Amino acid sequence: MVVIPPGGTIVQTFKRSFTDVPIDAANGDAVSTPEFLEAAESLTTMFDVLGSVAFAPVRKDILGNVTKLADRYKAAPDESATVQDLCRNELKAKKHTATEGLLWLVRGLDFTYQALDHSIKNSSTELADSFRSAYGNTLKPHHGFLIKPVFSAAMSAVPYRKDFFAKLGDDPALVDEQFKVYLDALGKIVAILKAFVNSPEAKW
């Protein structure tokens, strides 16, 4: 369970924040692999605050896809320094396990980003509405009829907005400030990798 230090926020408990993931703008916005995977894994601790039982499928989905990329990174570290190169070199080897994992990981991160960003920017909107909207925009179009009810149940089990944000830290202004910076960094990386996974070079 997440333990937030007095006067701190949940962002400070993350092993790695998306603000600390190197992006090489001179190299086509290449995203450094180990830091990205660490940040994605850290993000899943937020689902414990949202409700570990309801969000178990979302958490499991993200962690499962992190593992697919981590396995490829361990198998071929010299070819996988950046997320994009990891996928390019995997596809050259006529494999696509990690690349497909990235596609789903980006969808999961985009879902989380859109839900929380919308919630931060619309203080009168309940969390469940933000998550339902984000689900419809990101994961739902790609989920089959067996998976949709599982995720829909999770959306319905989201805590009330005030209860959720109260669990992120005891200083609302600090939570708001740090969360905005964190989400901006997450949104930037999601946009970069979404463009990559939708490009011809990431197809198998």
Side-chain angles (χ1 to χ4, degrees):
M1 193 63 194
V2 182
V3 178
I4 299 168
T9 75
I10 193 170
V11 176
Q12 293 164 325
T13 70
F14 294 156
K15 188 176 178 184
R16 169 85 56 180
S17 169
F18 284 99
T19 58
D20 302 320
V21 176
I23 299 169
D24 187 352
N27 186 27
D29 282 337
V31 177
S32 184
T33 303
E35 292 88 350
F36 167 70
L37 295 179
E38 204 168 57
E41 190 173 349
S42 295
L43 173 142
T44 63
T45 61
M46 209 156 11
F47 295 125
D48 292 334
V49 179
L50 279 165
S52 55
V53 176
F55 272 84
V58 188
R59 192 173 191 272
K60 184 180 175 185
D61 191 53
I62 289 176
L63 288 175
N65 290 311
V66 165
T67 298
K68 288 176 184 176
L69 281 128
D71 287 347
R72 175 66 190 178
Y73 180 74
K74 287 172 194 164
D78 295 341
E79 298 180 346
S80 310
T82 71
V83 176
Q84 293 94 325
D85 279 349
L86 181 153
C87 294
R88 289 183 189 112
N89 288 310
E90 183 193 47
L91 291 170
K92 280 181 192 172
K94 305 298 182 190
K95 298 175 182 176
H96 63 263
T97 302
T99 306
E100 187 174 2
L102 178 65
L103 175 66
W104 281 101
L105 178 56
V106 168
R107 287 170 180 167
L109 294 176
D110 193 21
F111 157 69
T112 310
Y113 165 71
Q114 286 194 32
L116 295 173
D117 186 60
H118 182 269
S119 191
I120 283 277
K121 289 174 179 172
N122 298 273
S123 57
S124 62
T125 305
E126 266 307 330
L127 211 57
D129 294 327
S130 296
F131 271 89
R132 279 194 199 96
S133 174
Y135 180 59
N137 292 338
T138 55
L139 291 168
K140 190 175 182 181
H142 309 287
H143 278 167
F145 72 95
L146 291 175
I147 300 294
K148 282 178 184 173
V150 175
F151 276 75
S152 294
M155 303 311 107
S156 301
V158 171
Y160 287 115
R161 176 194 177 85
K162 61 179 176 58
D163 296 335
F164 172 68
F165 280 98
K167 289 179 181 176
L168 300 184
D170 51 21
D171 181 343
L174 187 62
V175 169
D176 193 58
E177 176 192 330
Q178 292 193 357
F179 227 57
K180 281 177 179 172
V181 172
Y182 175 80
L183 289 173
D184 282 350
L186 170 58
K188 181 180 179 181
I189 288 172
V190 164
I192 290 168
L193 294 178
K194 193 156 48 163
F196 173 71
V197 297
N198 289 326
S199 70
E201 64 178 330
K203 298 291 179 273
W204 61 87

